[in-house]
Amino acid sequence: MHLREGDGASRTRLEAWHEDFTLRAMVLIVHGFPSAVAALRFEWAWQHPQASRRLAHVGPRLRSEAAFAFHLRVLAHMLRVPPWVRLPLTVRWLRADFRCDLCPPPPPHMPLTFGPPPPRAAAPKRRAGPLADLESEPDPDAEACCALCARSFQDEEGPLCCPHPGCHLRAHVICLAEEFLEKEPGQLLPLEGQCPGCKNSLLWGDLIWLCQMGTEEEEENLELEEEHWTDMLET
């Protein structure tokens, strides 16, 4: 098991290896960490469960338990305890023939997927050309303000936008987070909520991912230098 730091935090992955005599194959990855530091801390706790206070309830490896099965057992419990239980992670099986159920299963907001990760998509661009003027677009002045607090966006602050067609919601991260956490006042990180504009259900991780797509190229060189707030969560 090791961590590969790829093209920034959104592509940082935790990788599990299955070893059977001479066979060594990468069969599982967990990705979607908010920063490289968060992924590294996750990996450290996975490799040292006995030293992490978050995993004190996970028993040691049994005599009859294979190393691969033990790592999966530790992973299953990690996805169910703070601070990782609320992160928008994805569990991806690269080898379906080694796939087995995690016990306990991942939280509902963590998708279980199969196959190689999809290629990184380019940030969506506004269509240019003579037909662009014919499309109905929201008022530019309205777009410059948060739909929840009516305050303007700072230059360095990218708004969260609803991905549903026809919905023009744009909001500060903190404003939309507070909206999603109305029923969970004791939490800091939302899981999902209802769009205040179109009333469709939204996953918080999807909103953050879409927001990062537009600024990822600009921030790629600064990402490892800046400290993410989730890096302060103890493991």
Side-chain angles (χ1 to χ4, degrees):
M1 174 177 54
H2 73 283
L3 183 70
R4 174 186 302 165
E5 293 184 30
D7 305 319
S10 64
R11 301 293 292 181
T12 302
R13 307 166 186 167
L14 190 63
E15 305 174 349
W17 299 85
H18 184 278
E19 298 188 38
D20 183 9
F21 297 101
T22 59
L23 172 66
R24 190 183 186 197
M26 186 170 64
V27 300
L28 172 70
I29 63 174
V30 176
H31 57 93
F33 297 95
S35 71
V37 174
L40 286 167
R41 291 186 173 181
F42 186 90
E43 184 200 19
W44 182 89
W46 194 13
Q47 292 180 334
H48 307 87
Q50 73 285 349
S52 174
R53 68 182 185 88
R54 302 284 187 179
L55 302 175
H57 62 289
V58 180
R61 177 182 172 186
L62 305 176
R63 277 188 162 185
S64 59
E65 190 175 25
F68 182 66
F70 173 66
H71 286 309
L72 288 183
R73 178 161 64 89
V74 173
L75 172 64
H77 285 282
M78 290 183 68
L79 298 178
R80 281 290 185 174
V81 298
W84 308 296
V85 66
R86 300 188 70 86
L87 295 182
L89 303 178
T90 297
V91 180
R92 181 178 296 274
W93 288 94
L94 303 180
R95 291 280 301 271
D97 50 333
F98 287 113
R99 189 259 186 193
C100 55
D101 294 331
L102 296 180
C103 185
H109 69 278
M110 293 186 187
L112 183 66
T113 57
F114 298 87
R120 173 179 295 190
K125 296 181 179 180
R126 192 182 295 265
R127 189 170 69 179
L131 295 180
D133 296 334
L134 301 178
E135 297 178 353
S136 59
E137 295 183 357
D139 183 358
D141 293 334
E143 279 193 342
C145 297
C146 173
L148 299 178
C149 71
R151 294 196 300 268
S152 60
F153 299 108
Q154 301 298 322
D155 293 339
E156 68 277 4
E157 181 182 18
L160 294 184
C161 304
C162 179
H164 288 96
C167 183
H168 304 299
L169 175 83
R170 293 163 62 88
H172 292 111
V173 174
I174 188 64
C175 292
L176 196 56
E178 291 176 349
E179 178 80 11
F180 281 13
L181 288 173
E182 281 189 351
K183 297 181 179 179
E184 297 181 290
Q187 298 293 341
L188 294 176
L189 186 65
L191 297 179
E192 59 182 327
Q194 188 180 61
C195 173
C198 64
K199 308 304 179 183
N200 284 305
S201 180
L202 298 172
L203 286 176
W204 183 256
D206 291 344
L207 290 173
I208 298 299
W209 180 80
L210 289 172
C211 179
Q212 290 177 340
M213 289 296 294
T215 58
E216 198 171 50
E217 293 182 359
E218 300 176 4
E219 298 179 350
E220 188 173 12
N221 296 331
L222 299 176
E223 189 172 34
L224 296 179
E225 299 177 8
E226 297 179 355
E227 188 175 68
H228 194 277
W229 70 269
T230 56
D231 299 339
M232 304 302 294
L233 300 176
E234 297 183 6
T235 58

